[in-house]
Amino acid sequence: MRLNLRIDSLAGASVALSIVLAGASLALNDAHAQTVADVAVEGREATTTTVAYLGRAPEAVRRDVREAAGQVCGAALRNSELEPLDLQWCRDTAAARTLRTYASLRAQGLAAAAPLEVRVLAAR
């Protein structure tokens, strides 16, 4: 920023200096408002995961799905996306929905279908 002033007195100099400093302060405040430090970043745990099922025994897949449901629902609880009283409901619902998808894939013989995805559902 460039400012050309003609100052005739000492009082005028102090006023001009005040104006320049005020302008510089405003420019700095505007620049500061756009810095990266002002952006809040929150770490969130994953509430979706996949379970491999190709070439695995159905019992192992079911066990892994139930374990994955516990992990993603626990992550949702830690992310404050789920109430503590809904944790067991979330585990049961996520596992049941994923196991229904798995049963459907097995019934249709779709061994090379997309991987099973275990995800947290919205609270009741």
Side-chain angles (χ1 to χ4, degrees):
M1 179 167 105
R2 185 175 176 180
L3 182 64
N4 292 326
L5 292 176
R6 181 174 171 216
I7 302 172
D8 292 329
S9 69
L10 191 55
S14 66
V15 170
L17 183 58
S18 296
I19 291 171
V20 169
L21 290 176
S25 175
L26 289 174
L28 286 175
N29 287 340
D30 289 344
H32 177 69
Q34 298 173 358
T35 62
V36 176
D38 290 338
V39 177
V41 178
E42 292 182 16
R44 315 270 306 161
E45 293 190 40
T47 56
T48 301
T49 188
T50 57
V51 174
Y53 64 94
L54 295 178
R56 299 185 63 217
E59 297 81 24
V61 174
R62 288 184 192 103
R63 184 184 62 244
D64 288 351
V65 165
R66 287 187 189 100
E67 183 179 322
Q71 290 173 352
V72 297
C73 291
L77 180 66
R78 288 186 294 278
N79 291 344
S80 299
E81 298 172 13
L82 191 65
E83 295 295 323
L85 294 176
D86 289 333
L87 182 60
Q88 189 61 47
W89 169 85
C90 177
R91 287 177 182 159
D92 294 343
T93 306
R97 185 190 57 159
T98 306
L99 290 174
R100 278 193 305 271
T101 302
Y102 176 62
S104 174
L105 290 173
R106 286 190 62 216
Q108 296 173 11
L110 301 175
L116 288 175
E117 186 172 80
V118 182
R119 83 176 42 204
V120 172
L121 303 176
R124 298 180 220 194

